[in-house]
Amino acid sequence: MESFILPIILIYSGFILAILFVVDLKTRLLPNKFVLQFLFCGIAFHIVTGFHYHNVTNMLTATILSVGLLLCVRAAGNYFYKADTLGMGDIKLMGAAGIWLGTDYIFLAISLGALAGIMHGIIYTVFMRITTGQRIQFTTLSIPAGPGFITGILIMALIKFHTLPSLLG
């Protein structure tokens, strides 16, 4: 039974992350209904795999620590820049990712996501400079964080769950 359900959960989760990626790029919002679906898919994944990768305590700890860290980053950024610097949707997304990745990989996903966001900003700035001749200041550059975080989640999920095929076989 798990060999039938698990691929469905993984495919659906990838589909949800793709939707979140595109929606955030277009609207700069990560809708709660999709973030919650990603979270519930993570819970279902661990139930179906018999909590092979980590237990409920680890899942909750990763969620609480990732949300706490990003709330601190948001508070500091908002104080420093006097504007919203990290959306609550991004924080909720990484909380949901904590369910999937656990404490051993969530902070790496956040770090890779931030790096992907920086790369996105650099590429966007260079592209705007080439196509429009417009010079963009990094201090005022605003890009959605979701796509970067989703990139970090996917990279770390590929690393963490690389043994999944042998678990099914």
Side-chain angles (χ1 to χ4, degrees), residues 38-109:
F38 179 62
L39 180 139
F40 289 132
C41 283
I43 293 169
F45 172 83
H46 289 296
I47 289 171
V48 170
T49 60
F51 297 94
H52 176 78
Y53 292 98
H54 53 258
N55 60 31
V56 174
T57 303
N58 188 288
M59 293 163 56
L60 293 175
T61 302
T63 296
I64 291 166
L65 290 175
S66 62
V67 167
L69 170 67
L70 292 176
L71 283 172
C72 290
V73 168
R74 174 186 163 92
N78 290 357
Y79 177 80
F80 183 75
Y81 289 109
K82 309 291 188 241
D84 277 344
T85 54
L86 185 63
M88 289 303 296
D90 301 311
I91 294 169
K92 290 182 254 184
L93 173 66
M94 294 314 290
I99 295 292
W100 279 92
L101 300 173
T103 54
D104 50 347
Y105 286 91
I106 189 63
F107 296 110
L108 293 169

Side-chain angles (χ1 to χ4, degrees), residues 24 30 85-86 90 113 117 143-150:
D24 200 25
L30 292 169
T85 54
L86 185 63
D90 301 311
I143 60 166
F149 283 144
I150 290 168

Side-chain angles (χ1 to χ4, degrees), residues 2-4 6-7 10 49 163-169:
E2 98 181 15
S3 63
F4 170 71
L6 206 49
L10 293 172
T49 60
T163 62
L164 191 58
S166 64
L167 183 65
L168 291 174

